[in-house]
């Protein structure tokens, strides 16, 4: 690349949104990482809005602009240049798709609001992103000699929450959007209210099932719902446990993903980030739960009594991210689940010295996940955090605003903390008492009357933006996952309803498509915990090739009028069901099934053989198969490759395998296809299927 010049004009740009001061640039340099590019960083005066523009060499630019939006609450303008880009596709992917890349911090720094703007969900939901993207075109014209021909905004999770808003309110800045794993409520276009949704409260139902079924019962539920299992998750549960698990399913928790009930990740972070807000804005509920008839805490104290914690104790150790990641005391397997997210947080912020946990001895046997941890003495006195992961006497915590930025900075050994989980136990039942008129909640009503005392739906953090309207120009491809334990499948149908209500069926057909990705969780398998009996990669896929293919298809739709394929589905009792054949299902993902001696479950003696078979079909126009790999021992290695002839859209392959040692094995086939049938190209879209072999 040629040398970058530091003479970019900012004076010639006129902000469209009057909130923003003049744009400024405080960095303009050539960088080789994460991909050779010209790196331009700056912001808007008198605001907390920051941006970074990434311009690859002119010879690699295809005339597009891509604006990925960070997940969760956002707050960082260089996430896709670091760990998030390495996982979800960053500058290299954007360049290969013919674009330069834009990032903004969505109008705020970290998990705090802009002090001047305060609680302004419109600013954080779309205004800061749109103004940053608009200014990037002014700079692109100076770098490349012209503005981009087409511009796209995309993102997952919190980025999936906000990217539709950017298209709805973009005033021509974007031509298309690809949200994946979004969700939220619907209000008329132009609202500046905060999002009201029961989805965060539904997480309480998940935590409650984890709490009630710990100690072996949840393992039996997981086993029943895996391939070749008994299929009855309620076997052996008492009445209250059955009710809570049934309610979790009715609320839309994905069947087949029960393992993640025991391993909360983004869900417990969301609690830590909104708990203070809920306690401030919904104080009546958290009091009534313990003091009024109609609430479990008052009517059935035995359901929560043994799990209560309410103690003031001294800190015996302060733990940094670096301690957790590399300290000798943290090498045991019990710490494995905590390390991926600690690495993600530390590498995203560069703060490996961040104190993220404390050791507190003497807590007893109460339920620690989600418990409040308030510093009551020392330099950090008054700081409120919440436990997102507990290991022994160690509590790893996060919080809102300053607490998110500082965690346990300033806390010393001997400082006291108040550990109290009254609020979290009440949160576990909040889904009963905060229901919308969505038919999904009809099981909590009789003749339209709620069964339990009601409180208004709480508002989400303003950093999540405003409700959807479904009103926009351009094209929008929504991708949702069938096994997402953070944004459950019912969230995947909300925006389709919004577009149809706002624009009518004909316009919705012109501008909206929905695709389902089967066997995909909220994050790729590399970031997920594994069951010691079965690696996560044997039942969940890497969905990023599907997202990249979606970006290719979105561009073809916008630029050439070629609509992307959609997925057919049914939605009943909180459950998304996909047709069993590729022709009927559609979409872009292969349809795969595996059998052992023709069945989903086979029992053999040690040394016995089974005939393993995989059948796969490619949806119309999705391409041809490029690879079939098998994992036979649950390690996730997929060490056995079955050669396939090129150009096939249907496969039936089999081979015999002997199992020598007693145990339960899930023989898993991972099948990949590519639109051009090229096994060396990008966008190898995959799916998996398994059969169970019991050797006894």
């Amino acid at each position: 690349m040629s040398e970058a010049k530091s003479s970019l004009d900012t004076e010639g740009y006129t902000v469209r949104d009057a909130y923003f001061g003049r744009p400024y640039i405080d960095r303009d340099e050539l960088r080789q990482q994460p991909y050779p590019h010209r790196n331009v960083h700056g912001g808007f005066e008198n605001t907390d809005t920051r941006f970074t523009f990434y311009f690859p060499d002119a010879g690699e630019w295809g005339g597009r602009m891509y604006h990925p939006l960070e997940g969760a609450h956002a707050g960082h303008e260089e996430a896709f240049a670091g760990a998030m880009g390495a996982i979800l596709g960053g500058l290299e992917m954007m360049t290969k798709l013919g674009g330069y890349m834009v990032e903004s911090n969505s109008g705020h720094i970290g998990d705090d609001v802009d002090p001047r703007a305060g609680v302004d969900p419109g600013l954080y939901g779309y205004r800061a992103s749109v103004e940053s993207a608009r200014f990037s075109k002014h700079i692109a014209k100076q770098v490349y000699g012209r503005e981009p021909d087409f511009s796209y905004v995309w993102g997952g999770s919190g980025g999936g929450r906000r990217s539709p808003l950017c298209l709805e309110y973009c005033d021509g800045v974007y031509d298309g959007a690809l949200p994946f794993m979004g969700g939220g409520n619907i209000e008329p276009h132009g609202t500046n209210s905060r999002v009201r949704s029961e989805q965060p409260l539904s997480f309480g139902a998940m935590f409650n099932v984890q709490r009630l079924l710990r100690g072996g019962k949840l393992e039996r539920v997981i086993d029943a719902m895996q391939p070749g299992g008994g299929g009855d998750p309620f076997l052996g549960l008492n009445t209250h446990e059955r009710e809570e698990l049934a309610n979790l399913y009715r609320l839309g928790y994905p069947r087949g993903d029960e393992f993640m009930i025991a391993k909360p990740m983004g869900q417990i972070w969301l609690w830590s980030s909104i708990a203070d807000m809920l306690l401030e804005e919904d104080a009546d509920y958290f009091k009534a739960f313990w003091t009024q008839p109609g609430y479990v805490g008052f009517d059935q104290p035995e359901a929560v009594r043994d799990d209560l914690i309410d103690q003031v104790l001294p800190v015996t150790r302060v733990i940094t991210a670096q301690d957790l990641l590399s300290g000798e005391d943290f090498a045991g397997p019990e710490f494995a689940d905590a390390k991926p997210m600690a690495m993600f947080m530390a590498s995203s912020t560069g703060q490996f010295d961040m104190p993220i946990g404390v050791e507190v001895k003497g807590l007893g046997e109460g339920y620690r996940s989600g418990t409040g941890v308030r510093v009551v003495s020392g330099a950090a006195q008054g700081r409120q955090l919440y436990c997102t992961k507990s290991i022994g006497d160690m509590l790893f915590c996060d919080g809102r605003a300053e607490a998110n930025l500082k965690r346990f900075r300033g806390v010393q050994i001997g400082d006291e903390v108040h550990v109290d989980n009254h609020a979290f136990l009440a949160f576990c039942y909040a889904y009963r008492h905060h229901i919308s008129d969505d038919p999904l909640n009809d099981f909590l009503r009789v003749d339209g009357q709620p069964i339990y005392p009601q409180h208004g739906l709480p508002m989400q953090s303003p950093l999540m933006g405003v409700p959807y309207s479904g009103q926009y120009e351009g094209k929008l491809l929504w991708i949702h996952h069938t096994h997402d334990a953070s944004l459950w499948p019912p969230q995947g149908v909300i925006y389709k309803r919004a577009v149809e209500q706002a624009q009518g069926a004909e316009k919705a057909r012109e501008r909206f498509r929905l695709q389902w990705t089967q066997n995909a969780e909220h994050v790729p398998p590399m970031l997920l915990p594994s069951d010691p009996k079965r690696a996560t990669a044997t039942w969940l896929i890497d969905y990023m090739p599907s997202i990249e293919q979606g970006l290719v298809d979105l561009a073809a739709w916008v630029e050439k009028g070629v609509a992307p394929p959609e997925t057919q589905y049914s939605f009943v009792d909180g459950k998304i069901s996909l047709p069993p054949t590729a022709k009927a299902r559609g979409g872009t993902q292969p349809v795969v099934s595996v059998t052992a001696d023709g069945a989903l479950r086979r029992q053999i003696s040690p040394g016995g053989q089974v005939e393993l078979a995989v059948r796969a079909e490619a949806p119309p126009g999705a391409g041809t198969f490029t690879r079939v790999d098998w994992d036979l021992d649950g390690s996730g290695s997929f060490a056995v490759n079955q050669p396939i002839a090129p150009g096939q859209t249907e496969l039936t392959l089999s081979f015999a395998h002997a199992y020598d040692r007693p145990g339960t094995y899930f023989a898993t086939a991972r099948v990949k296809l590519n639109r051009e049938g090229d096994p060396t190209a990008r966008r190898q879209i995959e799916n998996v299927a398994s059969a169970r072999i019991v050797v006894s």
Side-chain angles (χ1 to χ4, degrees), residues 9 153 230 295 328 569:
D9 168 60
V153 60
Y295 302 83
E328 292 183 3
Y569 67 96

Side-chain angles (χ1 to χ4, degrees), residues 218 221-222 225 245 249 253-262:
L218 185 55
V221 171
I222 295 167
M225 300 300 282
L245 180 58
Y249 283 139
Y253 189 85
R255 283 67 156 174
D257 202 31
E258 288 78 7
F259 175 72
M260 293 306 298
I261 296 174

Side-chain angles (χ1 to χ4, degrees), residues 1-9 25 27-33 35-41 52-58 91 100-101 139-140 142-144:
M1 296 181 67
S2 60
E3 287 296 321
K5 300 177 181 179
S6 301
S7 57
L8 294 171
D9 168 60
I25 291 172
R27 185 177 68 229
D28 179 10
E29 61 189 26
L30 297 180
R31 291 189 173 182
Q32 295 303 310
Q33 300 297 330
Y35 189 87
H37 71 286
R38 182 173 179 175
N39 186 281
V40 178
H41 178 275
T52 307
F53 307 149
Y54 307 79
F55 298 107
D57 191 81
L91 180 58
Y100 72 82
M101 187 169 79
I139 299 301
Q142 299 174 60
V143 173
Y144 295 127

